[in-house]
Amino acid sequence: MGTEDDLYDNLEEGENNTDTLLHHFLPVPYSITCVLGLMGNVLILAVFVRYEKIKTMTDTFLVNLAIADILFLLTLPFLAYEAAHSWVFGEIMCKIIRGAYRINLYTSMLILTSITFDRFISITNATKANKYRVTKQKWRCGVCICLWALALLLAIPQFLYSTTKGENKCFEVFELSIMQLVVVSLQMIVGFLLPLVSMIFCYSFILRTLVNARGVQKKKSMKIIVAIVVMFIATQLPYNSLVLALALNNGLHQKKSFFQICIIMEAVAYFHACLNPVLYFFVGTKFRKYFWKMLNALGLKKVAEETSDNLRGTDGESKNISATTNLNVTSV
């Protein structure tokens, strides 16, 4: 979620450790992330198409999150090949891949932020939940269109400044250092700091509400919230901190140790695309029910379906607008 390609600029072929990390290590996590992420997110779309349909604001967010993650994951094979060998796809393709990569990446993070705010309003303002539920249904498509449009605006620098160097690497080249700093700072604020601050702020209030709530979902919901925040910080904070440090001090990319750490943290950051399906959908009881139904329909496995006559969607269907009835929002 930064300008990691600037790090490639001063790589020397004779540096064994760095060469091993770049050409042998990086393609492996890229490939694993791509395969596992595609499986999880495609399965989410299949469940929505076959069973769940898109009925609520949260459903709309989850579908768009899955689409953004899928499109992001589809750029990883190109980046994996570049890391293992070199960029051989031409300058036009370089701009397309880098631009599409940024659009999907920022759309994913903006949707995560929107899901956070949606949960915050639904749970902490439970007395207004019914009114909010009706209002947001009217605007769900418009909100998602705005998120994609904002991500497109943020990705414009990648379309403009992405280029190839000796047809070996694809990265952004900025005419002025101050321009690079402004672009990286803006992209980091919207693509990382905004989701991070919103998660910490909103989920802290949600947790406080859950402490006073009753019901069997309370403990499970609190665990999911903690997992969401911890996983986001663990995967995104280290790499984005390094990218920001690089933008502030270009001389850091000449240090082999800094470059090596960036390679590892980059792989960790991208793995979050695999975690999104788990954290935002797979943990739901409703998903497991539909998952077993899908397996039975395909004749792959005969299992007993989970029984629950009162399964609610993430926006809820009960007229009892207490904090307890809104716990299912946090567990999707």
Side-chain angles (χ1 to χ4, degrees):
M1 203 169 302
T3 57
E4 71 277 357
D5 298 283
D6 294 336
L7 298 173
Y8 296 155
D9 211 9
N10 288 276
L11 179 65
E12 297 180 3
E13 293 296 330
E15 299 171 348
N16 294 331
N17 293 335
T18 303
D19 183 76
T20 300
L21 282 174
L22 181 61
H23 299 297
H24 301 285
F25 167 77
L26 200 55
V28 175
Y30 272 1
S31 302
I32 294 175
T33 299
C34 181
V35 173
L36 295 182
L38 286 176
M39 290 174 59
N41 286 286
V42 168
L43 187 56
I44 287 178
L45 294 182
V47 168
F48 272 111
V49 171
R50 179 65 177 84
Y51 298 105
E52 180 64 8
K53 310 304 179 183
I54 304 177
K55 304 174 183 177
T56 67
M57 171 71 93
T58 305
D59 291 342
T60 305
F61 282 149
L62 290 174
V63 169
N64 278 269
L65 178 63
I67 293 173
D69 281 342
I70 289 173
L71 296 177
F72 162 70
L73 292 165
L74 290 176
T75 65
L76 292 184
F78 295 92
L79 303 182
Y81 187 90
E82 177 190 21
H85 304 286
S86 62
W87 186 264
V88 296
F89 308 104
E91 184 159 339
I92 298 299
M93 197 64 179
C94 170
K95 293 180 180 294
I96 294 175
I97 290 297
R98 285 297 168 191
Y101 157 79
R102 297 290 176 172
I103 291 174
N104 304 323
L105 189 61
Y106 295 133
T107 301
S108 177
M109 291 305 171
L110 290 172
I111 291 175
L112 295 183
T113 306
S114 300
I115 291 175
T116 300
F117 280 119
D118 182 47
R119 291 174 171 179
F120 171 75
I121 296 175
S122 296
I123 294 178
T124 60
N125 296 283
T127 56
K128 300 180 181 179
N130 282 340
K131 181 179 179 180
Y132 169 67
R133 192 174 301 128
V134 174
T135 302
K136 68 181 183 180
Q137 289 294 81
K138 300 178 181 179
W139 295 96
R140 56 180 182 173
C141 293
V143 170
C144 290
I145 291 175
C146 291
L147 295 179
W148 282 92
L150 178 56
L152 174 60
L153 290 176
L154 289 172
I156 288 177
Q158 275 64 45
F159 285 107
L160 294 178
Y161 299 108
S162 293
T163 184
T164 58
K165 182 180 180 180
E167 299 182 355
N168 290 325
K169 294 295 178 183
C170 173
F171 54 93
E172 296 91 43
V173 176
F174 297 94
E175 298 176 358
L176 301 174
S177 299
I178 187 64
M179 183 184 299
Q180 177 183 351
L181 180 59
V182 171
V183 170
V184 172
S185 299
L186 179 60
Q187 292 179 336
M188 181 159 301
I189 289 173
V190 179
F192 171 67
L193 292 180
L194 179 60
L196 177 62
V197 172
S198 66
M199 284 184 179
I200 294 175
F201 176 81
C202 294
Y203 283 138
S204 64
F205 280 92
I206 291 174
L207 285 174
R208 187 176 67 177
T209 303
L210 294 182
V211 169
N212 299 321
R214 297 178 181 178
V216 295
Q217 285 287 344
K218 172 182 174 180
K219 185 176 181 181
K220 178 180 178 182
S221 298
M222 293 178 69
K223 288 182 178 179
I224 294 172
I225 289 173
V226 173
I228 289 173
V229 177
V230 170
M231 288 300 176
F232 185 85
I233 294 176
T235 57
Q236 302 301 318
L237 182 58
Y239 180 63
N240 280 275
S241 299
L242 295 173
V243 171
L244 181 59
L246 178 64
L248 295 173
N249 183 7
N250 286 328
L252 289 174
H253 68 269
Q254 297 179 357
K255 297 183 178 181
K256 291 185 291 184
S257 58
F258 181 85
F259 182 76
Q260 293 165 4
I261 295 174
C262 281
I263 292 175
I264 297 175
M265 291 299 101
E266 177 185 343
V268 173
Y270 292 171
F271 192 70
H272 194 265
C274 295
L275 299 178
N276 284 340
V278 177
L279 294 177
Y280 288 87
F281 199 83
F282 286 4
V283 294
T285 304
K286 186 164 56 175
F287 169 80
R288 293 197 299 271
K289 175 184 177 180
Y290 292 142
F291 176 72
W292 295 129
K293 279 187 176 181
M294 185 178 297
L295 290 183
N296 287 334
L298 295 174
L300 299 178
K301 187 177 182 181
K302 186 68 178 176
V303 296
E305 293 181 8
E306 295 179 23
T307 58
S308 177
D309 296 330
N310 296 316
L311 288 175
R312 296 186 178 92
T314 54
D315 286 332
E317 297 175 356
S318 174
K319 294 182 180 180
N320 182 3
I321 51 176
S322 65
T324 303
T325 59
N326 284 316
L327 287 178
N328 51 1
V329 177
T330 65
S331 58
V332 192

